[in-house]
Amino acid sequence: MIPYGRQSVSQDDIDAVVDVLKSDYLTQGGMVPAFEQAVCQYTGAAHGVAVNSGTSALHIACLALGLKEHDYLWTTPITFVASANCGLYCGARVDFVDINKDSWNIDTDELEKKLVAAEAEGKLPKILVVVHFAGLPADLKEISRLSRQYGFRVIEDACHALGAIYQEQPVGNSHYSDISVFSFHPVKSITCGEGGMAVTNDDDLANKMRLLASHCITRDAGLMNKEPEGDWYYQQIDLGYNYRLSDIHAALGMSQLNRLDEFIQKREAVASVYDKAFEELPLQLPVRVENTQSACHLYVVVLEDEVRLNRKQVFDELRARGIGINVHYIPVHLQPYYQGYGFKKGDFPVAEAYYGRAISLPCFPMLTDVEQQQVINAVSEVVV
Ligand SMILES: *Cc1c(COP(=O)(O)O)cnc(C)c1O
């Protein structure tokens, strides 16, 4: 079976991890700060806080922005559940904005409509989690304009988008947002095994997130409520978590970062071959946006009306031909847990229509030409 995504681990990556294993520090050594700095250098953000997953990064980002009970967090339904769950972790209420039918990212017209209605009801969101779906940057300029007009904060869920370019600037420079979040799960642009990072240009948010990721324990006398009792002394000044990344994981991420540009180029090449091969088929393909480079995390095709088989039939036919296709995502508001909050079928029609017809094809740096041709042949046979 050709998988839909797969990591690429080199001998250099293995050597980097082995070096840490032979060193004095498996965690809380020098590798984590070095990795944070390297990601900052790549993205152009001022601060990076490395954690043990993208989900943890979303959680501390929400906490640092002060998300609490009675606040609202909004995101889109076509995302991984973690983009919404981070709001629930903070006791806040979660709501969704439908996606755009072409980009599959947040529909900024729908966002504006929903903001107008929310303002009238006094229910404006505190945080919008903007997902760069499949690696394509969302319309950050428009979102940033709306955030200033309506006073909400913006977290970029850039878990698909490390290595993407938005209007000639790297995603993660957080120019249009408060915090950007990355995941280093093996299917993402680069991997640590498990891992994540929150990056920001705001000193105060960075300090808060760093504390939250490590129990809110400090050795900084300036943050204590009295003089330290001695050199051993520390204080817990708020409720935090152990979300730390280990040096073993950071070493893998640091080494992988050296190949990030090469990975993105290969993903882009895979996507371009699909674009050409499927031009004449009844499929909606990922859009291209001027001055913007997708990280090509997923290559999604949406079946058009003319396709004879339905999505389940196409899915089963392709799987039977050894193509490890997948579906991203089941709309979050249709998950049983979210139905418990009163969401129902029909709430976000564009997302639901997309879900009914979407398939993710294998797209990763080490996909060979032969494998890709197998995928193309199988799709061309099935989608008629
Ligand atoms: C992968 C992913 C996450 C969560 O990242 P983990 O590192 O798996 O916790 C969050 N949001 C999106 C959009 C993702 O794809």
Side-chain angles (χ1 to χ4, degrees), residues 100-139:
N100 176 280
K101 67 176 176 33
D102 300 314
S103 70
W104 309 323
N105 275 324
I106 188 166
D107 186 321
T108 49
D109 293 335
E110 281 298 313
L111 173 61
E112 187 157 21
K113 268 193 240 163
K114 198 174 170 96
L115 286 166
V116 170
E119 189 175 42
E121 291 176 49
K123 285 169 145 186
L124 282 170
K126 181 159 209 164
I127 293 177
L128 178 70
V129 175
V130 177
V131 181
H132 301 312
F133 179 74
L136 181 73
D139 186 356

Side-chain angles (χ1 to χ4, degrees), residues 47-232:
H47 309 280
V49 180
V51 287
N52 57 6
S53 73
T55 303
S56 301
L58 285 165
H59 185 194
I60 60 170
C62 288
L63 289 171
L65 288 169
L67 189 71
K68 288 193 186 63
E69 222 183 316
H70 307 305
D71 290 333
Y72 275 96
L73 175 143
W74 290 4
T75 188
T76 36
I78 299 299
T79 185
F80 186 56
V81 291
S83 313
N85 287 344
C86 56
L88 300 183
Y89 295 159
C90 300
R93 289 172 287 188
V94 167
D95 203 352
F96 302 93
V97 180
D98 212 343
I99 59 167
N100 176 280
K101 67 176 176 33
D102 300 314
S103 70
W104 309 323
N105 275 324
I106 188 166
D107 186 321
T108 49
D109 293 335
E110 281 298 313
L111 173 61
E112 187 157 21
K113 268 193 240 163
K114 198 174 170 96
L115 286 166
V116 170
E119 189 175 42
E121 291 176 49
K123 285 169 145 186
L124 282 170
K126 181 159 209 164
I127 293 177
L128 178 70
V129 175
V130 177
V131 181
H132 301 312
F133 179 74
L136 181 73
D139 186 356
L140 287 170
K141 272 192 184 154
E142 178 63 4
I143 289 160
S144 157
R145 181 186 75 75
L146 291 169
S147 80
R148 274 175 275 122
Q149 186 176 344
Y150 289 94
F152 59 87
R153 312 296 292 267
V154 178
I155 297 174
E156 290 176 63
D157 181 340
C159 289
H160 293 179
L162 180 63
I165 306 281
Y166 174 71
Q167 308 220 337
E168 290 164 0
Q169 298 197 22
V171 163
N173 73 358
S174 305
H175 185 71
Y176 297 105
S177 63
D178 295 285
I179 297 169
S180 303
V181 166
F182 298 112
S183 164
F184 308 120
H185 180 277
V187 297
K188 310 294 165 84
S189 300
I190 62 168
T191 188
C192 294
E194 294 276 6
M197 199 178 293
V199 300
T200 182
N201 296 314
D202 184 307
D203 300 354
D204 184 47
L205 290 176
N207 291 336
K208 280 186 179 148
M209 291 194 290
R210 206 173 290 291
L211 279 166
L212 285 162
S214 196
H215 311 281
C216 286
I217 281 177
T218 184
R219 291 178 181 276
D220 178 352
L223 297 176
M224 296 182 188
N225 64 357
K226 62 172 194 175
E227 285 300 305
E229 292 169 10
D231 282 348
W232 68 86

Side-chain angles (χ1 to χ4, degrees), residues 305-361:
D305 288 344
E306 303 95 286
V307 179
R308 194 165 35 80
L309 304 181
N310 66 29
R311 195 270 309 277
K312 180 170 188 323
Q313 292 167 325
V314 170
F315 185 96
D316 292 344
E317 286 289 329
L318 290 172
R319 278 280 175 100
R321 286 168 167 77
I323 314 297
I325 46 159
N326 220 319
V327 173
H328 297 91
Y329 289 92
I330 302 164
V332 179
H333 71 283
L334 298 182
Q335 292 293 348
Y337 188 76
Y338 279 84
Q339 307 240 288
Y341 285 94
F343 295 107
K344 56 189 187 314
K345 219 170 171 154
D347 283 348
F348 304 100
V350 182
E352 291 168 27
Y354 160 90
Y355 167 64
R357 291 161 175 267
I359 289 175
S360 307
L361 301 180

